[in-house]
Amino acid sequence: MTRRLHLNAFLMNTGHHEASWRLPESDPYAHVELGHYVRLARTAERGTFDSLFLADGPQLWGSVAQRPAGALEPLTLLTALATATEHIGLIATASTSYNSPYNLARKFASLDIISGGRAGWNIVTTAGAEAARNFGLDAEPAHAERYARAGEFLDVALKLWDSWEDDAILGDKETGVWGDDTKIHPPRHRGTYFSVEGALNVPRSPQGYPLLVQAGSSEDGKNFAARYAEAVFTAQQTLADAQAFYADLKSRTAAAGRDPEHIKVLPGIVPVVGSTEAEARANEQVLEDHIVHRHGVANLERLLQLPEGTLELDAELPSELPPESAIEGARSRYTLIVELARRERLTVRRLIGRLGGGRGHLTFAGTPEQVADAIGTWFAQGAADGFNIMPAVLPSGLETFVDQVVPILRRRGLLRTEYGPRQTLRERYGLPRPANQYAPRENALV
Amino acid sequence: MTRRLHLNAFLMNTGHHEASWRLPESDPYAHVELGHYVRLARTAERGTFDSLFLADGPQLWGSVAQRPAGALEPLTLLTALATATEHIGLIATASTSYNSPYNLARKFASLDIISGGRAGWNIVTTAGAEAARNFGLDAEPAHAERYARAGEFLDVALKLWDSWEDDAILGDKETGVWGDDTKIHPPRHRGTYFSVEGALNVPRSPQGYPLLVQAGSSEDGKNFAARYAEAVFTAQQTLADAQAFYADLKSRTAAAGRDPEHIKVLPGIVPVVGSTEAEARANEQVLEDHIVHRHGVANLERLLQLPEGTLELDAELPSELPPESAIEGARSRYTLIVELARRERLTVRRLIGRLGGGRGHLTFAGTPEQVADAIGTWFAQGAADGFNIMPAVLPSGLETFVDQVVPILRRRGLLRTEYGPRQTLRERYGLPRPANQYAPRENALV
C-alpha cells in the first residue's frame, strides 16, 4: 500500500498570523462564532484532511488590545463541529495539570461516542504562572513535575477508558439483566497525584479512547510522546532539523517498546500561497505590514524573559540571553526562536515579522506547486508523516490550500481523493484500535 | 400579561421508570446514542417546552446488571443538541464539589455562546462516597461543607462570567486595537476553597451567564436556592406539601433580598397517559410488572441505609428507621420516601412500584385531560410555576405528552402556542438578563 500523507488543519480564529484579524476580509468576532468554525471544518473535510485541531490554555493571555483573545472551550466547540461534519477527526487540547482524570476521560469518551469515533486529545501540561494562578496555585509546577503528573494522568485515564470491556452491555430484556458486572473494572488507582476508585460512567467508546496527540519538544516531552503519543505536532524550521527530530522520536518510540509506525510526526507549516512566487511574497508582506510592532516587541521580551524596553526594533537580539535551562515553560520554542534570529541575523523587526506568521513554525510562501513540492520533499525524505497546516488567514488561507494545493497532492498520489467507508480517526491515521488492558486475550482485538 | 406555565423536559435514557428499558419499544443502548437524544429534544421543542434537562453524577452507580448505566457527559451532549435545535433551553447538571470554577465557568460560557443564549446549569454538590472516591477523597465531604464550597464556587463563577464587560471587544482594525483592557476584570479571588486570579478566556455570553438551576431540598439547599437559583426542581407528592415548599422558597428568596418572581418552582411529575383512566392504570401496571424486585429491594436498603436482607417484599417498612439527620446525601429524598410509605401504608413491593416510576416524584396516571387538570390545579393554587416533566418511558412518553396534553394546556391558555422571536432561556422563563457586577451602572442593563 502506498504511503499516504496525513493532514491536520490547525484552526485558530482569524488565522495563525497575529495581524490576520486586521485584514478587511476578517471578522474580529470570528473566535466566538460557531458558523466560522463550521465553515472551516467543512472546508477541511472537502480537502479530505485526517483531522482538525484546536490549541488551548486555561488563561487569558496578556493584553486583549493586541489581537482576538479568548476562545470557545475546545471540547465544547468540537462537539458542536462533530454534528456539522461526517468524516474529519476532531482533536481538542486539554491540560493534565488543570483537569481531573475522571472528568476529562469522560468528556473525551462522550465526544468519541457522539462523533462516531473521531475524537483526539492533544495532551498538554500547560506552561505558565497565569494558568497556575487560575487553579489555586501561586506559581506553575516545575517542568519535571508537570510531566510526572501527566504520566500518571494518562495511566489513570487509560484505566478508566478500559474500565468497561467492549461487550459489557448485554441488554437482555427477557431476564432483566442489562450489563455484565464481571466486565466492569474499577481502576482502584492510588498514586502520587491521583486516587481514582471507580469505573467510568460511560461505556467504552468506538475508538476505545481518543487518538493521543502530543507536541512537547523538550526531553521530557519527547519521552512522554514516545511512551503514549500516536501523533505529534512539532515546529521545525529546516529540513535537517525536521529529519533529526523525526529520527529521534521514532527511535525513542522503538526504545519504549512500541512500533515506530504507530507514532505519526506532523511538523507545522504556514503556507502563504500566490499564483506566482512574487504574489505569494506580496501576500506575506501585506500581513507583515499589519503587525503592530509595539505589541510584537512586548511579546518577544516576555517570551525571552527580558526586562521591558530591552529590545530595539532595528537591532539584532542582544548577544547575552538567558540559557534555555532558565526558561520555565515553552523551552524548545525559546531555543528555536533564538536560533532562527541568530542563523539569519534577523533584526527584531524582521524576527517579529517571521514569528507573526508561525510562532516558530515554518512559514512557506510560494505557488501551489512550490508548497506541494516542499510538503512532498519533507514527506519523502524522512522529515514528516504529514503536516499540521496552519493557514496565516482564516477562512481564506484554508480554502486556498484546499482548492489549489490539495488537488496537486492528490494528483501526485500523496493524499486520498475521498474518505473511505466509515472509519475512525485512528484508522484514518493507519493505527490499530487499542486492546482493552482488562479484557481476556482472545477478546483483546475485537 | 397572562401568567404562563413553564415546562422542562427531564430526559433520562429510556425513561424515568426503572423498568422502561425492558419494554419491547425500548433501545437498551439509547443512553449512548445521540440520535435518541436529538429525537427527544426535537419532540420537546415541538411541544414548546422552555427547556430540557440532564441529571448527572460523576460515578457509576451500583450494579450495571440492573438498568442502563452511565451516560454521556451532559455538557458534551447538550452542545451536540444545541446544533440540532433552535429554541429550547439546555440545562446541564454539574457538580461544585468535583469541578474547578475556571473550567466549568468556561464550558458553560462556551455552551451559552454556541447555543445563542440557551444554556442552564443545574448546580449540584454531589452526595455519596462513590463520587468522592473518584476525585481523590476517601469519603464524601460533609453536607454543610459541600454547600459552603458551592457558595464560594458560585461567587467565583459569577466573577469569571462578569470578567469581560459586554462591550470589551472593540475590533478596531484601523488602529490595531482589538479589545479594551479597562473592561477586563480579573477576579483576583482568594477564598477558603478557591484561588482564581485571572479573567475568563471567553467573552461574556449572550445571557451573561447560564440560567442557574438548583434542586436541593435540605435547609442548606433551600437557602442556597434562595440566594442563587432562578429555577428550582423539586419532588413533591401532595398539593399541600408542594404549596408549603413553594411558599417557603419564595419567602426565603424575598428574605435574601431578591424578587420572589425571579425564582421559578418546578415540581417533578411522571405522567402516565391513557385514553381512559383504566388504560392509564394498565400502562402503569405494565411497567410495574417489568420491575426486577431483587434490584428494587437492594436499592431501597441502600437508600434507607439498612443492612442487606432487612426488607421483606410483602411487609411494610420496619418501624425503626435511622433518623434523617443520620443520612448523608439525599436527605429530603429519604424523608419523602419514608413518609410516602407510612402515609399510604405501602408494602415494600408497592413502594418499589411507586418509586420505580418517579424516585419520589409525583406519578400521575390518567387521561390527557386529567393530567392537564392536575398541572393546572397545582399551577393555579400556588404550588408551581411550571413542571419538570419526567416521562416514564422515552421517547414514547414525551411524544404522548406533547401530542395529547400540550394541546389541552394551550387551549386553556396556560402554555405558549409557539416560540416568540429569538429569545434566550432566561427570557423564556421571564427573568431579566443579569447586570455585570463590574460594569458602570449606566451600562448595567445593556
Side-chain angles (χ1 to χ4, degrees), chain A residues 1 26 67-68 99 151 155 170 185-186 190 252 289 309 337 405:
Chain A
M1 197 177 134
S26 293
R67 70 178 78 87
N99 281 289
D155 293 340
L170 305 170
H185 305 278
R190 293 200 161 239
R252 285 177 199 244
D289 291 344
I337 289 169
V405 181

Side-chain angles (χ1 to χ4, degrees), chain A residues 311-319 341-342 344-348:
Chain A
L311 296 179
E312 288 174 49
L313 207 46
D314 291 304
E316 292 184 33
L317 292 182
S319 52
R342 303 267 193 247
E344 304 193 17
R345 305 207 55 181
L346 300 174
T347 62
V348 167

Side-chain angles (χ1 to χ4, degrees), chain B residues 277-348:
Chain B
E277 200 176 324
E279 190 184 297
R281 297 234 175 264
N283 290 342
E284 199 175 29
Q285 191 59 49
V286 167
L287 282 162
E288 203 168 322
D289 291 345
H290 281 84
I291 289 178
V292 180
H293 284 97
R294 67 176 184 283
H295 296 333
V297 169
N299 288 339
L300 197 55
E301 285 169 344
R302 194 171 149 187
L303 193 76
L304 301 179
Q305 304 190 0
L306 298 170
E308 211 181 304
T310 309
L311 296 179
E312 288 174 52
L313 207 47
D314 292 304
E316 292 184 33
L317 292 182
S319 51
E320 296 275 306
L321 286 173
E324 187 189 88
S325 59
I327 303 296
E328 265 305 331
R331 282 187 190 166
S332 55
R333 180 69 49 86
Y334 170 85
T335 299
L336 184 149
I337 289 169
V338 173
E339 283 179 0
L340 169 67
R342 302 265 194 251
R343 185 172 60 241
E344 305 194 14
R345 305 207 54 181
L346 300 174
T347 62
V348 167

Side-chain angles (χ1 to χ4, degrees), chain A residues 81-124:
Chain A
L81 295 183
T83 67
T85 57
E86 267 185 79
H87 302 285
I88 198 162
L90 306 159
I91 302 174
T93 298
S95 172
T96 53
S97 298
Y98 305 119
N99 281 289
S100 53
Y102 200 93
N103 285 341
L104 196 64
R106 187 169 178 219
K107 282 177 197 294
F108 274 110
S110 297
L111 175 59
D112 202 45
I113 290 170
I114 285 172
S115 66
R118 295 189 279 141
W121 174 20
N122 178 43
I123 305 159
V124 297

Side-chain angles (χ1 to χ4, degrees), chain A residues 121 123 147-158 161 209-214 220-232 252-253 256 258 262-263 426 431:
Chain A
W121 174 20
I123 305 159
Y147 273 97
R149 180 181 156 113
E152 189 180 329
F153 195 115
L154 262 284
D155 293 340
V156 177
L158 291 166
W161 286 319
Y209 50 83
L211 180 78
L212 301 179
V213 182
Q214 215 259 353
D220 286 336
K222 284 187 282 195
N223 289 336
F224 185 90
R227 186 162 159 208
Y228 298 105
E230 298 167 284
V232 167
R252 285 177 199 244
T253 301
R258 296 175 56 208
H262 291 171
I263 188 166
R426 195 173 267 111
L431 301 162

